[in-house]
Amino acid sequence: MALGTNTGGAGAGTEVPALSGAPLLGSLHDLKSDSLGTYLRAQQRHGDVVRVSAGPPGMRADLYCVFSPEGVQQVLASEAANFRKDNAFYQEVRESFGNGLLTSQDEDYLRQRRLVQPLFTRRRVDGYAGAVAAETASVVTAWEEALDGIVDVSDEMTHLALRAVARILFGTDVEATADVVARCFPVITDYVLRRGYSPANIPRNWPTPGNRRAAAAMDELYGVCDRIIGQRRRAGADASGEDLLTLLAAARSSDDGEFDDGELRDQVLIFLLAGHETTATSLCFALHLLARHPEQQDRAREEITRVLGGRPPQASDLERLPYLSQVVKEAMRLYPAAPVIGRKAVAATRIGGHAVPAGADVILAPWVTHRRPEHWPDPERFDPDRFTPEAEAGRPRYAWFPFGGGPRACIGQHFSMLESVIALAMILRAYSFEAVDAEIPVGAGITLRTEGPARCRVRRLDTPRAP
């Protein structure tokens, strides 16, 4: 969520219904304390397109929230050129994590996408399966020493996903980078969130404690990235690694040139941000949901054992583990890693028959759309069979969009699915899970975040021998 003023006139269409709020601050407090619940309440009370106002008079922002699959498709795909990443929140992310694929626009984005796309083909991504398996094996071994057999799957999956993406990005430099990212990212993301939710911000260069903490974290994070980039540059043609940074440094074309060092760092930072927090969220909630639903857990484990036996999973196993893939998709439905997506309308338009003015801040909320009962009966129920091929074919394309969609769809969606399925297969084959914490409080940060422990009791299983 990002606050900002809207400008311009509206096109023809009915007035957008408004969610009632406090006289002075509108829905500002509700959005700060529980933005996901606020958006869900807005849809339940007013329908597909709802205006939510927040902030004091003179600084109030109107957020045009779009909740129907058809409206989402209009914003992300059919009229994508009219909805840009120009809001205040994306600007805060851009200033902290650089102008990479997540935040860049126009020709910058197209050039970056053309240079990066060859590194994210299915064949190339499948080559990262070994790195994911190696990091997951370390977690499986470490859990044998878990105190009282209890692990917090939120912390553990964040650690696993960070180690995996750092290994893929940096190769042998994983040790030097993972600790820095783990220490600095929370400071920077909290700083971005505070500024993104505020109707007004002081300049970043003022020497306040918050500004200084964030600047120190960014300096440390940028420093380790710049050091490793420098090493790759100096290695030049002698660099033989297959890590993603080496491939990014070598990416070039006659039309688009190549990335300079600053652009390389921007891509690395965005990949670190998007590549570990999103997958960590999916893994955490998939495990916790299975821990609360033993029948589905047993069904997933039976498939894993039948397909893999005792051998390590490979990329080619993704299609041979359909139920486990359905588990991941259902976890992403209930707990989408990007629960809220923001855009800014360039020109006035109509969505669902409602007038949306030029300059409007437009909010899409997978958290809400993924719970529309007309597409997801009994929406809070965990049911992986919602994602059989037959069930998927019967729903609108944008009833489920954890990876966004349209021309800005996430470039790493195959990697996210691959990593999630491989990690879950190895973990579920080794351990059974029982939930200690029945529910996990969550909130919307840059990605969905747990706001309490997600503890599970784990019990080691006998691993079947490889045939």
Side-chain angles (χ1 to χ4, degrees):
M1 199 280 289
L3 301 185
T5 56
N6 58 37
T7 60
T14 60
E15 183 178 354
V16 176
L19 182 69
S20 60
L24 183 61
L25 296 178
S27 296
L28 181 62
H29 174 73
D30 291 336
L31 289 170
K32 281 191 171 184
S33 61
D34 181 15
S35 62
L36 301 179
T38 301
Y39 294 134
L40 193 60
R41 186 168 67 254
Q43 190 279 321
Q44 291 169 345
R45 291 182 182 177
H46 299 293
D48 291 341
V49 184
V50 185
R51 180 169 55 84
V52 178
S53 298
M59 302 173 66
R60 181 159 295 185
D62 288 333
L63 308 176
Y64 288 77
C65 305
V66 178
F67 301 123
S68 69
E70 295 76 17
V72 171
Q73 182 166 4
Q74 183 177 340
V75 173
L76 293 183
S78 60
E79 293 185 20
N82 192 43
F83 297 95
R84 295 168 53 82
K85 293 187 173 185
D86 279 341
N87 60 35
F89 185 77
Y90 274 113
Q91 184 57 33
E92 292 296 332
V93 176
R94 192 176 290 117
E95 290 189 29
S96 293
F97 291 102
N99 192 43
L101 273 178
L102 178 67
T103 52
S104 61
Q105 299 195 100
D106 303 325
E107 184 52 40
D108 281 347
Y109 173 77
L110 293 174
R111 173 177 172 269
Q112 291 175 20
R113 183 95 181 196
R114 288 192 296 265
L115 285 169
V116 171
Q117 187 69 59
L119 309 184
F120 281 85
T121 62
R122 184 174 292 265
R123 178 175 175 273
R124 175 70 72 176
V125 169
D126 286 350
Y128 299 137
V132 174
E135 293 297 337
T136 306
S138 297
V139 170
V140 168
T141 300
W143 283 3
E144 294 177 358
E145 307 299 325
L147 184 64
D148 297 326
I150 293 177
V151 299
D152 187 326
V153 292
S154 177
D155 291 343
E156 293 292 320
M157 293 302 97
T158 297
H159 172 77
L160 167 60
L162 173 56
R163 293 272 312 183
V165 75
R167 178 182 290 273
I168 290 164
L169 268 170
F170 300 115
T172 57
D173 290 297
V174 60
E175 301 296 340
T177 55
D179 289 345
V180 172
V181 173
R183 184 169 58 255
C184 295
F185 259 54
V187 176
I188 302 171
T189 55
D190 284 348
Y191 180 69
V192 168
L193 287 174
R194 286 196 303 272
R195 293 177 65 87
Y197 272 103
S198 175
N201 286 302
I202 63 173
R204 284 179 171 237
N205 60 359
W206 286 17
T208 64
N211 280 351
R212 292 172 67 180
R213 281 193 299 271
M218 284 185 275
D219 285 346
E220 184 176 7
L221 182 62
Y222 292 5
V224 72
C225 291
D226 289 344
R227 177 179 60 78
I228 298 172
I229 289 169
Q231 291 172 348
R232 296 293 195 281
R233 292 297 199 198
R234 288 190 293 273
D238 295 330
S240 57
E242 285 295 304
D243 59 81
L244 187 55
L245 176 57
T246 297
L247 298 174
L248 283 168
R252 57 180 52 85
S253 75
S254 57
D255 294 329
D256 299 307
E258 60 184 321
F259 290 127
D260 62 30
D261 288 358
E263 291 174 321
L264 267 181
R265 185 220 287 157
D266 288 351
Q267 300 305 329
V268 165
L269 291 173
I270 290 298
F271 290 150
L272 284 170
L273 173 66
H276 92 271
E277 291 194 349
T278 55
T279 304
T281 297
S282 300
L283 286 170
C284 164
F285 286 105
L287 283 174
H288 195 265
L289 286 163
L290 290 172
R292 291 164 49 198
H293 297 84
E295 182 179 342
Q296 286 88 340
Q297 182 182 160
D298 289 344
R299 182 176 169 186
R301 185 176 294 109
E302 184 279 327
E303 179 183 75
I304 294 162
T305 303
R306 173 168 41 82
V307 171
L308 298 181
R311 67 173 175 81
Q314 302 170 350
S316 58
D317 292 316
L318 190 62
E319 294 180 357
R320 303 175 65 204
L321 295 167
Y323 187 72
L324 193 56
S325 296
Q326 290 169 208
V327 167
V328 174
K329 290 180 177 181
E330 176 70 343
M332 290 177 174
R333 180 187 72 83
L334 285 165
Y335 299 97
V340 178
I341 299 170
R343 294 289 191 269
K344 185 177 284 289
V346 177
T349 189
R350 287 186 298 168
I351 299 178
H354 296 290
V356 175
D361 282 310
V362 176
I363 297 294
L364 310 178
W367 182 268
V368 178
T369 307
H370 289 185
R371 285 169 164 78
R372 296 291 298 261
E374 62 268 41
H375 304 304
W376 310 101
D378 193 7
E380 296 297 336
R381 177 170 52 90
F382 173 64
D383 181 9
D385 282 330
R386 299 181 197 270
F387 288 92
T388 63
E390 297 78 16
E392 286 190 289
R395 282 190 296 269
R397 161 64 182 86
Y398 284 87
W400 183 80
F401 60 110
F403 300 108
R408 297 295 301 246
C410 175
I411 198 172
Q413 54 186 291
H414 176 58
F415 171 70
S416 179
M417 287 298 299
L418 178 73
E419 180 179 5
S420 297
V421 170
I422 286 178
L424 286 175
M426 295 179 68
I427 291 169
L428 289 170
R429 184 173 60 183
Y431 293 96
S432 66
F433 287 77
E434 179 185 353
V436 174
D437 299 299
E439 299 291 338
I440 309 173
V442 298
I446 295 179
T447 57
L448 188 72
R449 54 168 57 181
T450 58
E451 296 185 340
R455 293 170 298 176
C456 292
R457 181 170 284 105
V458 297
R459 181 173 63 85
R460 181 81 195 200
L461 303 172
D462 291 331
T463 302
R465 295 181 179 180

